[in-house]
Amino acid sequence: MADVHATARPRSSAARICTIIAFVFAAIAIFILPPLFGLVGLVLGIVGAVLGDKPLGWYAAAASVAGAVLGMIIGYAILNS
């Protein structure tokens, strides 16, 4: 069997924890302090992806940005109605 070197880092439990927390912050960002929780979720999603949780880490980062934007839109709609 050929010696194959993987370029991706192996997934660790720390990467999965960062990714899960990023998804939680994405949901919280919709309702409470969207810029803060969205930014923290974005950072945790990127950290999770860099540590090895590749697809879900990037999805969590994107979900955090989407949650922050959606939360700001909802907040704007509520304040101006």
Side-chain angles (χ1 to χ4, degrees):
M1 186 169 243
D3 187 25
V4 178
H5 297 286
T7 58
R9 290 179 151 177
R11 187 181 75 215
S12 67
S13 62
R16 182 55 55 106
I17 290 170
C18 287
T19 302
I20 291 169
I21 294 172
F23 276 118
V24 170
F25 281 176
I28 292 173
I30 296 173
F31 304 108
I32 303 169
L33 292 172
L36 175 68
F37 284 107
L39 181 64
V40 173
L42 173 67
V43 170
L44 284 172
I46 292 172
V47 168
V50 169
L51 289 178
D53 201 8
K54 284 290 184 202
L56 285 180
W58 293 119
Y59 295 153
S64 295
V65 171
V69 169
L70 183 61
M72 286 188 279
I73 291 171
I74 291 171
Y76 178 78
I78 289 172
L79 289 175
N80 288 327
S81 63

